[in-house]
Amino acid sequence: EVQLLESGGGLVQPGGSLRLSCAASGFPFSSYAMSWFRQVAGKGLEWVSAISDTDSRYYTDSVRGRFTISRDSSKNTLYLQMDSLRAEDTAVYYCVKGEYSGVRGWFDPWGQGTLVTVSS
Amino acid sequence: EIVLTQSPVTLSLSPGERAILSCRASQSVSGFLAWYQQKPGQPPRLLIYDVFKRATGIPARFSGSGSGTDFTLTISSLEPEDFAVYYCQQRYNWPLTFGGGTKVEIK
């Protein structure tokens, strides 16, 4: 069974940094694309970033240059380094498994999410 | 960016009734459209992908149809566990985008 466990969320001041982690198990992590999505409380879903099995990386415009997605296949872990955080980055962040190795597939299942709050 | 518009925003129905949810894209997404279900306090779950293909374990009462810019999710007979929020999503172009969601609530 695929399991995705996010961690690293919390309260951070505007302009600060945070690193999210996602521990993956139940599938050959190195062979699959992975992605981060987010959801503001009570609002809709937004795609944030994706990474292929060969480390090709994609970002939504609002986070490009501030967020960095990475993966460590030796640890079966996905990361999201978030710098220069803004209030509008406040959301639950979900780690999601790709359909296959490339980023052009569907993403599912989703982890339970970790809450990031950017506030002074 | 491809904008997905879902309608209605809220659908009030009784168990056993048919639910028809709509998703319209600002430009063609070809066959690259999916539907997700989200219940309170839970992450989204993939229901339908590539317009009409049911994800693993999804009951046959869920079906998807459409092409180009207009898509439909049909729940043939609502079960109590189907009352939730439904989102459509496209992967035709970056960035991946979602519709605003349709809440199916108990009438």
Side-chain angles (χ1 to χ4, degrees), chain A residues 39 47 104 106-108 111, chain B residues 36 38 46 50 91-92 94:
Chain A
Q39 184 173 34
W47 169 73
R104 297 300 292 169
W106 297 108
F107 288 94
D108 192 70
Chain B
Y36 291 82
Q38 188 177 31
L46 182 66
D50 293 348
R91 67 169 180 87
Y92 181 72
W94 298 104

Side-chain angles (χ1 to χ4, degrees), chain A residues 45-56:
Chain A
L45 300 165
E46 182 183 24
W47 169 73
V48 175
S49 181
I51 186 169
S52 74
D53 65 327
T54 55
D55 284 350
S56 295

